[in-house]
Amino acid sequence: MPKHFNWCEARTLIILAVPVFLAQLAQTSMGFVDTVVAGRVSHIDMAAVAVASSFWIPGTLFGLGLLMAITPLVAQSIGAGHKEGLGRFLRQGAWLALALSVLEMAFFYGVSRYITKMEGIDPALSQITARYLHAVTWGVPGFMLYGAQRAYLEGHGRTRPAMIAGIIGLCVNAPLNWIFAFGEFGMPRLGGVGCGVATAVVCWLMCFILSFSVRRLNARAIRFEAPAPQLMKRITRIGLPGAFAMLVETSSFAIIALLIVPLGTIAVAGHQIALNVSGLVFMLPLALGTATTIRVGLRLGQGNIAEARSTRMTSLYMATAIACGTALLIYLFRFPIARVYNNTPEVIALAGMLMFYNALYQLPDSIQMVTLGALRGYNDTRAIFIVAFLSYWGVSLPVGYILCFHGFPGIEAMGVKGFWIGFIVGLCCSSILYLFRLARLEHLPPEALKAKLAR
C-alpha cells in the first residue's frame, strides 16, 4: 500500500465524489445529447452547437468558478465549529449569481451578433450558432442560482441533491431536445437551435429542484437579505482568481474551436466529438477534486494540517488509478464511440484519431484536478489562476497553433491534432506547478496558514 494512503479517507472521498460525478455526468450529458441530436439534424447543426458551446461553456463556468468559493468557506466554518450564519454565504452568493447573470447574458448577445458578421464562416453555420446562443441565454440566471445553491450544499458535504437535480434535468433535457429540434407535438422544427431552448428550460428546472434541498437543510437559508458588501467582496476575492483560471482553460478551447473553423466542418465536427468525450471523462477527476476541496477545507477548519495532507495524498493516488483506467478505455473504444455521434466516415476517422491524444492526457489532467481541488481547500485560488494562465495561454495554445498551422523544423503542419498535442504539453506543465505550490503550502507554519485562511 502506498505511503500516506488512508483507506478510511478514501471511502469518505468516494462517498462525496460519486454523487458529484453523477451530477456532473448528467450535466455534461446534456451537452452530449445536444451534440447527438444536432448531429442527427445535420453536421452543420452539430458544428453550430459546437461553436456556440465554445462560448456558452466558458461563460457559465466562469460564473460557477467564482461561486465555488462558497464551498470551502462553508466547509472551513463547519470545521471550526462556526455553524451559525452559514446561510449568509448562500444569500450573498445569490446576489453575486444574479450580477454575473446580467454580465453573461450581455456577453452572449454580443457574441451572437459578432458571429453573424464574421468573415470566412459558412452563413448557415453562423445563423444557427447565433440563434442557439439567443435561446440558451435565457437559462443563465437559473444556472447561476443553481451554482450558488450547489456550492452551499457541497460545503455541508451534501453532494446528493445536485446529483438528483442533474439526473432529473437530463431525463427532461433528452425529450425536450428531440421535441424542439424535430418539431414534435406541434412545436416548430428548430434544428440545433431547439437544443438551446431545451437547455434553458432545464437550467431553471435544476435551480428549483436544489432550492427544495436547501430548504430541507436550513429553512432560513433562502430568504431576503440585503447585499453585504464585505462578505460579497470576500467570496469574490477568493472565487475570482479560480473563476479566471477556469475561464482561461475553457476559453482556450473556445479559441481553438474558432481557429479550426477555416479547416472545414469535418474538422470542427471531429474536434467537437473528441472534446465532448473528453468532457464526459473529465467528470471523474473533477468529482474527486470537489470531494478533496470539501475534505481539505474541513480539516483545515479544524486546524489539522496533517490530515489535510493525508486527504490530498489519498486523492492523488486515487486519481492516478482512475486516469490509467479511463485512458485504456478511451483508446480501445475510440472509433465505436465516434460512431455514436455521427455516421460520416471522415468525421469518425478524425474523431478516433483525436481521442488517441485524449487518452494520453488523462494522467496529467487527473493530477491537476485533485491538486487544484486541494488548493481550493486552502483558499489559494490566486496561484490557480497564475498556473492556468501560464499553462494554457503561455504553453498549450502557442504550441498547438504552431503545430496545427505551421509545424516545426522537420515537422509538417499537423492540422487539428496539433492543438491536442498542445493540450498534453500544457496539462503536464500545470500538474507539475500545482504540485509544487501545494507542497509549499503544506509546509507553512500553522500561524501563517491560519492567517491565510482567515483573509
Side-chain angles (χ1 to χ4, degrees):
M1 183 57 57
K3 188 179 179 181
H4 302 300
F5 186 87
N6 187 317
W7 274 109
C8 183
E9 189 65 31
R11 285 193 295 270
T12 302
L13 286 168
I14 291 172
I15 291 170
L16 290 171
V18 168
V20 175
F21 167 70
L22 292 175
Q24 289 295 139
L25 182 62
Q27 188 174 313
T28 307
S29 294
M30 295 178 200
F32 167 79
V33 172
D34 284 2
T35 304
V36 170
V37 172
R40 291 291 180 254
V41 177
S42 74
H43 74 278
I44 295 179
D45 282 79
M46 187 174 77
V49 170
V51 175
S53 296
S54 68
F55 293 102
W56 158 257
I57 292 175
T60 53
L61 286 183
F62 174 82
L64 292 183
L66 192 152
L67 297 169
M68 282 172 64
I70 297 171
T71 298
L73 288 172
V74 171
Q76 290 163 14
S77 296
I78 293 173
H82 303 150
K83 298 184 180 180
E84 294 297 325
L86 290 177
R88 296 200 69 205
F89 289 114
L90 174 60
R91 292 189 290 273
Q92 297 307 312
W95 282 113
L96 287 173
L98 293 175
L100 286 165
S101 299
V102 174
L103 294 175
E104 290 181 6
M105 292 176 78
F107 170 72
F108 292 138
Y109 179 74
V111 168
S112 67
R113 287 179 59 86
Y114 169 76
I115 287 176
T116 56
K117 299 177 182 179
M118 188 175 173
E119 295 182 2
I121 185 172
D122 187 307
L125 178 64
S126 65
Q127 287 296 324
I128 297 172
T129 302
R131 290 173 59 208
Y132 179 96
L133 283 172
H134 286 161
V136 80
T137 292
W138 295 104
V140 171
F143 195 56
M144 290 298 102
L145 290 171
Y146 160 84
Q149 294 177 98
R150 176 175 175 172
Y152 173 75
L153 289 167
E154 289 179 348
H156 285 82
R158 304 293 183 92
T159 55
R160 290 185 180 181
M163 175 191 72
I164 295 170
I167 292 173
I168 294 175
L170 177 61
C171 291
V172 173
N173 183 63
L176 284 183
N177 263 286
W178 196 264
I179 289 170
F180 291 126
F182 293 98
E184 303 293 342
F185 302 106
M187 293 292 177
R189 182 185 173 92
L190 299 176
V193 178
C195 299
V197 176
T199 299
V201 172
V202 170
C203 285
W204 281 104
L205 174 64
M206 290 175 18
C207 171
F208 290 129
I209 291 172
L210 275 199
S211 67
F212 288 108
S213 297
V214 171
R215 289 183 183 279
R216 288 186 63 186
L217 176 64
N218 181 0
R220 299 183 61 193
I222 300 182
R223 59 184 175 87
F224 178 79
E225 179 179 282
Q230 285 300 111
L231 184 53
M232 291 176 67
K233 182 179 178 180
R234 186 183 181 199
I235 296 172
T236 303
R237 181 181 57 78
I238 295 173
L240 196 58
F244 275 117
M246 197 171 287
L247 181 62
V248 163
E249 179 178 353
T250 53
S251 63
S252 66
F253 290 98
I255 290 172
I256 290 168
L258 287 177
L259 289 174
I260 66 173
V261 166
L263 299 178
T265 55
I266 297 296
V268 173
H271 173 76
Q272 175 62 14
I273 290 172
L275 197 60
N276 197 264
V277 172
S278 175
L280 291 172
V281 176
F282 175 72
M283 296 304 103
L284 284 167
L286 177 61
L288 189 56
T290 301
T292 304
T293 298
I294 296 168
R295 293 295 292 170
V296 169
L298 182 66
R299 293 303 191 188
L300 293 175
Q302 295 169 343
N304 199 329
I305 301 173
E307 288 296 325
R309 185 171 187 272
S310 176
T311 294
R312 191 266 296 183
M313 290 298 297
T314 301
S315 180
L316 190 59
Y317 286 126
M318 294 170 65
T320 301
I322 291 170
C324 293
T326 54
L328 180 61
L329 290 174
I330 291 171
Y331 175 75
L332 292 176
F333 298 102
R334 58 194 188 281
F335 291 110
I337 291 171
R339 292 188 187 95
V340 173
Y341 288 85
N342 195 267
N343 53 14
T344 304
E346 295 84 356
V347 173
I348 293 171
L350 178 60
M353 179 188 66
L354 296 180
M355 276 189 273
F356 168 74
Y357 296 101
N358 185 354
L360 292 180
Y361 76 53
Q362 289 305 304
L363 182 59
D365 199 22
S366 296
I367 291 173
Q368 79 144 357
M369 282 313 302
V370 297
T371 312
L372 188 153
L375 287 172
R376 288 186 185 277
Y378 280 89
N379 294 346
D380 196 48
T381 52
R382 185 176 299 178
I384 293 174
F385 167 68
I386 294 172
V387 171
F389 183 83
L390 290 174
S391 300
Y392 289 98
W393 285 72
V395 177
S396 184
L397 269 176
V399 170
Y401 182 85
I402 293 171
L403 286 175
C404 177
F405 295 106
H406 304 289
F408 287 104
I411 302 176
E412 295 183 356
M414 305 172 71
V416 68
K417 70 178 182 180
F419 280 112
W420 285 78
I421 294 174
F423 292 160
I424 296 172
V425 177
L427 285 169
C428 288
C429 291
S430 64
S431 61
I432 292 170
L433 292 174
Y434 283 142
L435 284 170
F436 275 117
R437 176 61 180 175
L438 190 55
R440 183 177 178 182
L441 286 176
E442 290 173 343
H443 288 87
L444 283 177
E447 296 77 14
L449 183 57
K450 185 177 180 180
K452 176 179 175 56
L453 295 175
R455 287 185 306 199

